[in-house]
Amino acid sequence: MTEQEPVRPAVRRVVSLVPSLTEAVAATAPGLLVGATDWCTHPADLDVVRIGGTKNPDTAAVAALAPDLVIANEEENRAPDLADLRAAGLRVLVTEVRSLPQAFAELHRVLVDGCGLRRPGWLDAAESAWRDLPPVRTDEQDGPRPDGHDNVRAPASRDVPDDVPADGPQHVHPGGSAPAAGLRLRAVVPIWRRPWMALGRETFAGDLLARLGIDHVLAGHDERYPRFDPAGLPAPDLVVLPDEPYRFTADDGPESFPGLPAALVSGRHLTWYGPSLVEAPAVLGAALRGARTYPAPPAGGRRPRRTRGPGGTGPGA
């Protein structure tokens, strides 16, 4: 007779330390959430106890809520805080998300395995939305485009996820309008300034962009979020500027990349994994196709517009 695992009690109280996981639970079973971070902004009407930031949660306040489950992320939350929660006798489920397939698997683990919920319809819809993307060519394109611009050569195949198919959609070119179908572009994707930091290796946001035909130029860097000098980049075709964790805008960011088309994109759709993934391909695709050059702002016209510090750069940041 084999020894059976003890049956876990039903999950009725959840504290989320990750904004995107907060939205995922709220969209699936809103009554479960009893606590969330100050940065959990979706859904907008979320009415739960706030327990501090993602990097500095009030662990005593979390314990006082007596949750059946605390959900966290290995990049978004600090190991010492999670250790304190476990020492208080709390069950802590920690996710790791560095690609779109991993995000889908972790969402299932949190919602179905962790919370004991039925698999939500929005998760199936999100998988379908990304599975049904027009495929993207990864072969090099020689010669001029029909619009007169030279084609952008595709990056090495190691920069492209294995499950991105070949032969595809339309994207911006260095002049800012749509090129012939299926051409891949190279971009720098800053996530902070002062100092400048960008997407590097093995990031969820980088994987999403690759599936939309955009390969970021620092994908081979040793660090996941390296510092960089805008003047020393390896010839990108455009700059992709999200509005979080640093809130880049038309007058705060593009001026540092003169002559380079800039795509201002939703940070939530680029870095959050949750219900926003359903509409992310359309939202991000439209923003990328809308990339354009911006005039330099008047002297002294740019002001810092931050959301969180550069530590909150992972998924759901």
Side-chain angles (χ1 to χ4, degrees):
M1 181 175 180
T2 59
E3 184 178 349
Q4 294 183 344
E5 289 189 13
V7 177
R8 292 188 185 277
V11 172
R12 295 187 176 91
R13 298 173 64 82
V14 173
V15 170
S16 172
L17 303 182
V18 185
S20 55
L21 289 178
T22 298
E23 184 180 20
V25 174
T28 307
L32 284 185
L33 285 169
V34 295
T37 74
D38 297 340
W39 297 106
C40 294
T41 56
H42 287 75
D45 61 351
L46 183 67
D47 184 17
V48 298
V49 174
R50 301 293 176 159
I51 48 79
T54 57
K55 302 295 182 186
N56 58 345
D58 184 338
T59 55
V62 174
L65 290 171
D68 301 308
L69 180 66
V70 177
I71 49 180
N73 176 263
E74 52 88 27
E75 181 176 70
E76 185 74 7
N77 307 118
R78 300 186 319 129
D81 294 324
L82 303 182
D84 287 347
L85 293 173
R86 290 191 177 101
L90 300 180
R91 179 186 169 206
V92 181
L93 190 161
V94 182
T95 59
E96 178 185 275
V97 175
R98 302 191 180 189
S99 69
L100 183 64
Q102 194 175 22
F104 288 141
E106 289 289 63
L107 284 165
H108 182 97
R109 186 166 73 97
V110 167
L111 298 171
V112 179
D113 302 334
C115 295
L117 302 171
R118 291 182 181 275
R119 181 178 169 89
W122 63 259
L123 184 51
D124 292 330
E127 289 191 341
S128 177
W130 285 93
R131 184 174 56 247
D132 295 341
L133 284 176
V136 180
R137 271 208 308 268
T138 57
D139 55 309
E140 292 188 348
Q141 304 295 315
D142 294 320
R145 291 176 171 152
D147 52 26
H149 291 272
D150 288 339
N151 282 329
V152 178
R153 289 183 176 269
S157 59
R158 63 178 176 82
D159 292 335
V160 183
D162 292 338
D163 54 347
V164 173
D167 228 22
Q170 293 200 350
H171 303 290
V172 297
H173 66 62
S177 59
L183 301 177
R184 300 193 67 85
L185 298 180
R186 290 165 56 83
V188 60
V189 190
I191 48 88
W192 200 254
R193 67 182 303 169
R194 298 184 213 90
W196 283 103
M197 298 172 66
L199 296 186
R201 65 174 181 85
E202 296 180 3
T203 63
F204 172 72
D207 186 53
L208 261 59
L209 288 172
R211 295 167 191 278
L212 296 171
I214 306 295
D215 299 294
H216 59 292
V217 296
L218 298 177
H221 200 282
D222 290 340
E223 298 179 18
R224 298 186 64 218
Y225 301 103
R227 297 188 181 192
F228 73 99
D229 178 357
L233 292 169
D237 302 307
L238 75 159
V239 56
V240 177
L241 297 169
D243 60 10
E244 61 174 273
Y246 187 95
R247 188 173 300 153
F248 289 106
T249 64
D251 63 355
D252 187 358
E255 80 290 341
S256 296
F257 304 87
L260 197 63
L264 301 174
V265 305
S266 163
R268 174 170 165 259
H269 290 94
L270 181 62
T271 66
W272 288 39
Y273 55 100
S276 60
L277 284 172
V278 176
E279 59 185 12
V283 172
L284 294 174
L288 293 169
R289 288 191 297 272
R292 54 180 287 261
T293 55
Y294 288 83
R302 180 174 54 77
R303 298 184 299 277
R305 292 177 180 162
R306 303 183 175 191
T307 54
R308 281 185 289 185
T313 55

